[in-house]
Amino acid sequence: MTLRIGCIADDFTGGTDVAAAFRRAGLRTALVFGTPDATTVLPADCDAAVVALKSRSTPADEAVADSRAAQRWLWTKGAAQIYFKYCSTFDSTPHGNIGPVTDALLDDAGATVTLHCPASPPNGRTVYQGHLFVHDQLLSDSPLRHHPLNPMTDSALIRLLSAQTPHRVALIDWTTVRRGVDAVRDALTAHQQAGVRHVIADALTDDDLAVLGAAALELPVIAGAAGLAEGIGHAYPAQGPAPAEPLPREGRAAVLAGSCSARTLEQIAHFYAAGLPSLHLDVLAAAAGRDVTGEALTWYDAQDPDRPVLIYASASPEELAAVQAQLGVAEAAAQVEELLGGLAARLTDRGVRRLLVAGGETSGAVTTALGVRAVLVGDEADPGVPWTHAGTRHGDLALMLKSGNFGAPDLFTRALATTTEGAE
Ligand code: ADP
């Protein structure tokens, strides 16, 4: 099997986002959770494979080691080109990890130059004169300046990246990008000959990213957010839209929610208001030793098998604060992950074949509990929220893993109602 492109994403939900972008560009795309090894099996005939790591905020040497291992694995699968996916807000610090990881990938590939563009126009992320904007604000004026892990107080990408690499960084400006693919290629060559290793490109629109993708087709390593990935995908010889993966026709549907994000709370409220069965898990009772999982399964067994169910730990800010005050943040998280991971395994044992999971950490707990290491990416229900297909010991499982704040308020009801109708 030969991949056209191998991608390394620096976090799990970023992996889903970039995998959805490759698929929109018509590539049959697999998503692999965590550093793969010799036993990791990809779905057949993929054009693109995304390895989703947790390397955004880990120490730089760990991020480098994990990324190099992922690159080596992608090469064993035949990947001709490597895409390093980071956040569209360039989440990093002067210590990394974007600079050190990109340098290590270039060193191993024997490459002397790479193209960077974090723009993601549908999400309001654009780059102009090397400055990163979030909608109408410079990154450094946006709420990202208060990010809890990587506060972004500078918007100048050349300055940001120069602090993270000993190599030279330079810009291809928007005027050049607008002149088209040949102009960008010439500018890349000129920078390369002048000893520049990291070339940042401006982009305001998806068309600009398509130009950059076509100009970067021959580079062994490219870096950016999901937008440039889609541009690259479109630049590969036309393969038409990736065929739709049929959702399982049999089996029950469930939502497991562990996210406390505002959007997930809205989605839960929408599901409840639609009159569908939902159950809140009592995390404090579980911590006190009550068999909350057994009670949830008894409740599940009593529901109408033709209707989707929702089981959630998600809590309002007040409830979350109260539980964390009593158990501690780490213990509360461990309880929630054990409850929802365990329920995912027990529900699939009981015949659930369509499973929607809300929350980044929660998604990690569920895939681990199900033993799912790689999935095939299917249709998107909302931007950046695709259905995926996982091979499990029960056969094909349609799995939707969404970051807490993703998806429209009606996502739960719409995604599961659509699939139910599709199965009829
Ligand atoms: P998001 O994508 O919104 O960040 P995550 O699943 O990554 O969602 O994180 C949600 C966090 O909230 C998890 O660490 C989870 O353990 C915690 N959590 C969820 N429900 C509760 C609850 N009822 N009490 C305490 N912590 C909770």
Side-chain angles (χ1 to χ4, degrees), residues 96-129:
N97 291 339
I98 293 174
V101 169
T102 315
D103 278 331
L105 298 178
L106 285 163
D107 287 344
D108 287 359
T112 56
V113 72
T114 188
L115 185 76
H116 288 262
C117 186
S120 187
N123 300 318
R125 273 54 154 174
T126 56
V127 181
Y128 185 67
Q129 296 298 347

Side-chain angles (χ1 to χ4, degrees), residues 56-382:
R56 183 171 295 169
S57 306
T58 51
D61 53 350
E62 268 176 45
V64 164
D66 290 348
S67 305
R68 294 179 67 198
Q71 177 164 259
R72 281 195 297 274
W73 183 83
L74 288 163
W75 281 338
T76 67
K77 301 293 169 195
Q81 193 170 35
I82 298 293
Y83 191 88
F84 173 38
K85 154 71 170 75
Y86 48 70
C87 185
S88 62
T89 49
F90 213 74
D91 286 15
S92 53
T93 71
H95 308 292
N97 291 339
I98 293 174
V101 169
T102 315
D103 278 331
L105 298 178
L106 285 163
D107 287 344
D108 287 359
T112 56
V113 72
T114 188
L115 185 76
H116 288 262
C117 186
S120 187
N123 300 318
R125 273 54 154 174
T126 56
V127 181
Y128 185 67
Q129 296 298 347
H131 290 260
L132 183 51
F133 287 81
V134 177
H135 298 286
D136 59 347
Q137 292 179 310
L138 281 166
L139 174 67
S140 50
D141 293 331
S142 79
L144 275 301
R145 70 185 187 281
H146 299 306
H147 189 283
L149 294 178
N150 302 315
M152 301 306 293
T153 54
D154 192 357
S155 311
L157 290 169
I158 291 187
R159 206 158 44 212
L160 283 168
L161 190 51
S162 293
Q164 300 178 28
T165 173
H167 299 278
R168 285 184 58 197
V169 185
L171 177 71
I172 294 181
D173 68 10
W174 189 68
T175 316
T176 308
V177 176
R178 292 309 279 180
R179 289 196 354 248
V181 177
D182 289 342
V184 173
R185 259 198 216 118
D186 291 347
L188 262 172
T189 306
H191 279 313
Q192 184 177 20
Q193 286 169 352
V196 172
R197 195 182 218 207
H198 298 273
V199 179
I200 289 168
D202 281 350
L204 302 183
T205 65
D206 287 335
D207 287 347
D208 294 340
L209 291 165
V211 167
L212 296 178
L217 215 47
E218 303 299 321
L219 296 180
V221 178
I222 321 137
L228 181 58
E230 191 169 344
I232 302 255
H234 282 302
Y236 282 112
Q239 52 266 302
E245 301 296 330
L247 288 160
R249 299 182 67 81
E250 309 291 333
R252 292 178 66 171
V255 184
L256 290 174
S259 163
C260 302
S261 298
R263 179 47 59 89
T264 294
L265 297 179
E266 273 183 88
Q267 289 159 337
I268 290 170
H270 191 279
F271 191 93
Y272 181 81
L276 292 165
S278 49
L279 178 73
H280 184 219
L281 298 173
D282 188 335
V283 177
L284 286 178
R290 215 172 85 196
D291 182 14
V292 173
T293 300
E295 291 168 16
L297 291 170
T298 304
W299 173 86
Y300 170 82
D301 289 339
Q303 302 307 313
D304 176 353
D306 291 333
R307 301 168 87 205
V309 301
L310 161 67
I311 302 179
Y312 63 101
S314 313
S316 64
E318 299 75 33
E319 185 189 344
L320 178 65
V323 174
Q324 287 179 335
Q326 195 157 331
L327 298 181
V329 174
E331 174 59 18
Q335 284 290 340
V336 171
E337 293 188 10
E338 193 182 321
L339 277 172
L340 293 175
L343 277 168
R346 309 285 288 278
L347 292 179
T348 51
D349 286 346
R350 281 169 149 75
V352 164
R353 294 292 172 271
R354 287 163 284 150
L355 182 62
L356 199 165
V357 185
E361 293 298 325
T362 307
S363 293
V366 166
T367 50
T368 303
L370 293 177
V372 169
R373 296 173 70 191
V375 295
L376 186 64
V377 179
D379 292 335
E380 275 172 300
D382 273 327

